[in-house]
Amino acid sequence: MSANETIRSRANPLLKRAAGVLAGQEPETLALEGDRLVDDALRAGIALETVLVAEERVDRAEELIERGVAVRFVESDLLGKVSRLKTSPGILALAPVPPPVDLARLALDERSLLLVASGVSDPGNLGALARSAEAFGASALLVARGGANPWSDRSLRGSMGSLLRIPVVHGENSEALITSLARRGVRQVCAATRGGKDAREFDWRGPIALWMGSETGALPKGASTFELVTIPMTGAVESLNVAVAAGILLGVLAHLVED
């Protein structure tokens, strides 16, 4: 096998570039840290530019090379210093950001559900939303501009690879998404802490776009006409985490569809 000379200097251009990608300096490039994300990207058909592998992980490097992936060995301590994780997994891949999904071309029918994240600023929450969207069969995840970047390393890790497997619409602001969805005849529904119809009794016939607002509950002005759906709660609980709420609502919908 051949993985060229092992990188042993922090001044190496490739290592410095990887650190920059992790720091968000190249928004058009993904940093995939860990075996799970690397494998998820390969299964999704994403062409990896290069994979940095700790020098002791020879078997893993050989397996990747056999699959036609460009590999560079890196001194383990150096790779650990670049890592954003407490303990480096010994593998970091760089890849192009997946091409944007065109909302106008998505196939929709009465069973279609689109999950919309508007103003969700925490990458972990955004990643969790993607996991719920995939788990419960959402047609796509729409991420309004101004919130967390779905292609950041933290969002990708939080999604456990879901962001690489489901269609993601990203780049338009919330108002533009509202207009685009209305143009396609999509019912737009907002998750509300209170004042909405009980999720168990809500008419979930679609296509539906379920909007999840920011962690503070804020939604765009255009959402004032949306239908409201609420999760009934007991006790003194004021509200639920946005990702938890989305998971419950999607789960209720999936259950009702199965029935």
Side-chain angles (χ1 to χ4, degrees):
M1 59 172 269
S2 174
N4 298 315
E5 185 179 353
T6 299
I7 297 173
R8 300 191 183 281
S9 169
R10 295 188 69 174
N12 179 274
L14 182 55
L15 196 63
K16 291 174 69 174
R17 180 177 174 232
V21 173
L22 281 168
Q25 296 172 8
E26 283 191 33
E28 71 283 0
T29 304
L30 300 177
L32 306 168
E33 192 167 13
D35 290 291
R36 177 191 291 271
L37 284 179
V38 170
D39 289 335
D40 283 338
L42 288 170
R43 281 192 288 268
I46 295 174
L48 305 182
E49 293 180 18
T50 189
V51 183
L52 304 178
V53 180
E55 58 184 336
E56 72 273 11
R57 299 198 62 189
V58 175
D59 290 346
R60 179 57 163 152
E62 288 180 340
E63 183 262 324
L64 289 170
I65 291 170
E66 288 176 0
R67 298 170 72 174
V69 178
V71 172
R72 283 296 305 273
F73 281 122
V74 184
E75 189 177 277
S76 298
D77 288 345
L78 282 179
L79 197 54
K81 290 175 181 177
V82 170
S83 174
R84 295 283 289 267
L85 303 178
K86 186 174 181 179
T87 301
S88 170
I91 184 169
L92 169 63
L94 302 182
V97 165
V101 172
D102 185 354
L103 179 57
R105 295 179 178 275
L106 276 177
L108 301 176
D109 58 35
E110 65 177 14
R111 294 169 62 91
S112 297
L113 174 71
L114 306 172
L115 183 62
V116 187
S118 176
V120 176
S121 60
D122 182 87
N125 281 338
L126 184 59
L129 287 173
R131 290 171 68 183
S132 292
E134 181 184 23
F136 294 109
S139 300
L141 173 69
L142 282 57
V143 183
R145 194 169 65 231
N149 178 4
W151 307 124
S152 73
D153 62 305
R154 288 183 59 198
S155 295
L156 289 165
R157 287 201 306 274
S159 79
M160 300 291 283
S162 290
L163 283 164
L164 300 173
R165 293 188 293 266
I166 64 173
V168 177
V169 177
H170 179 240
E172 292 191 21
N173 62 39
S174 294
E175 300 298 340
L177 286 176
I178 292 172
T179 300
S180 297
L181 289 166
R183 189 178 295 124
R184 294 214 57 190
V186 177
R187 289 175 60 200
Q188 302 194 59
V189 177
C190 173
T193 303
R194 55 187 59 83
K197 185 153 189 178
D198 188 320
R200 298 165 297 185
E201 301 171 358
F202 191 79
D203 177 7
W204 288 103
R205 285 175 295 181
I208 283 180
L210 175 62
W211 285 73
M212 304 302 300
S214 69
E215 289 82 358
T216 62
L219 279 168
K221 293 180 181 178
S224 60
T225 60
F226 288 1
E227 301 175 65
L228 301 181
V229 61
T230 295
I231 299 168
M233 296 184 291
T234 60
V237 176
E238 181 68 21
S239 64
L240 296 173
N241 170 276
V242 62
V244 172
I248 292 173
L249 290 171
L250 292 173
V252 168
L253 172 57
H255 175 71
L256 292 175
V257 169
E258 288 175 359
D259 290 346

